[in-house]
């Protein structure tokens, strides 16, 4: 199963706990990784097929993520969809392929990571992951996004 690491606002994003968690998770979750962080209402995201935990950690350090940011990190153990950058998390909440599949950028939309399988959207013959299909069909709906923003007090 995939692994998620959360470092909320107020935590050191480069602490030994976070760095060690990434290294341990990368040992068993080798099918890609990604992260997103939110600062001042803007979401920055990056994902890829990292050859090592150190490459992922280097990317995180290059972004100089402050303690004022919320950070999520996802390490993939692909069980639905091909091993590809497009199937790595996070996914931008959109109905446009070019946004959902983007490997890095800045968005005013939300992003999604999760662990496990969304069974309604699993299709082992598909090239896309269950998460991609879930975002494309459901998570981009403006009314749903509005509810998320209200509940998160963004």
């Amino acid at each position: 199963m995939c692994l998620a690491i959360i470092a909320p606002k107020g935590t050191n994003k480069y602490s030994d706990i976070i760095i060690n968690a990434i290294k341990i998770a990368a040992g068993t979750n080798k099918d890609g990784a990604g992260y997103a962080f939110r600062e001042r209402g803007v979401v920055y995201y990056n994902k890829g097929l990292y050859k090592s935990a150190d490459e992922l950690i280097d990317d995180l350090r290059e972004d100089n993520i402050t303690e004022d940011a919320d950070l999520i990190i996802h390490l993939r153990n692909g069980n639905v969809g091909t091993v590809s950058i497009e199937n790595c998390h996070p996914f931008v909440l959109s109905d446009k392929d070019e946004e959902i599949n983007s490997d890095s950028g800045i968005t005013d939309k939300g992003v999604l990571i999760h662990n496990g399988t969304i069974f309604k959207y699993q299709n082992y013959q598909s090239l896309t992951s269950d998460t991609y299909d879930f975002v494309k069909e459901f998570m981009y709906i403006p009314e749903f996004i509005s509810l998320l923003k209200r509940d998160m007090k963004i």
Side-chain angles (χ1 to χ4, degrees), residues 18-93:
I18 301 295
I19 298 302
N20 288 335
I22 292 169
K23 289 180 178 183
I24 291 167
T28 56
N29 295 57
K30 300 175 185 265
D31 295 332
Y35 61 92
F37 62 97
R38 181 180 63 182
E39 285 188 302
R40 296 177 297 282
V42 178
V43 176
Y44 304 82
Y45 62 94
N46 189 31
K47 59 187 181 177
L49 298 174
Y50 292 96
K51 293 181 179 136
S52 70
D54 289 332
E55 282 186 13
L56 173 59
I57 292 165
D58 288 346
D59 272 2
L60 284 164
R61 288 189 192 282
E62 282 179 28
D63 281 332
N64 197 30
I65 305 166
T66 70
E67 288 189 17
D68 289 332
D70 292 305
L71 170 66
I72 55 175
I73 304 167
H74 186 272
L75 293 104
R76 184 168 189 250
N77 183 8
N79 60 348
V80 178
T82 59
V83 173
S84 66
I85 292 173
E86 293 82 12
N87 286 334
C88 292
H89 301 209
F91 290 93
V92 175
L93 301 183

Side-chain angles (χ1 to χ4, degrees), residues 2 47 74 76 79-81 86-94 100-101 111-123 126-140:
C2 301
K47 59 187 181 177
H74 186 272
R76 184 168 189 250
N79 60 348
V80 178
E86 293 82 12
N87 286 334
C88 292
H89 301 209
F91 290 93
V92 175
L93 301 183
S94 175
I100 300 170
N101 287 332
V111 297
L112 173 73
I113 69 166
H114 83 96
N115 296 336
T117 301
I118 304 171
F119 291 104
K120 179 180 178 190
Y121 296 93
Q122 78 179 15
N123 179 351
S126 176
L127 298 178
T128 60
S129 77
D130 55 323
T131 311
Y132 169 87
D133 293 335
F134 179 64
V135 167
K136 177 93 175 182
E137 186 175 319
F138 179 73
M139 287 298 295
Y140 77 92

Side-chain angles (χ1 to χ4, degrees), residues 6-25:
I6 310 296
K9 184 176 182 176
T11 61
N12 177 350
K13 308 310 183 262
Y14 307 104
S15 69
D16 288 344
I17 291 172
I18 301 295
I19 298 302
N20 288 335
I22 292 169
K23 289 180 178 183
I24 291 167

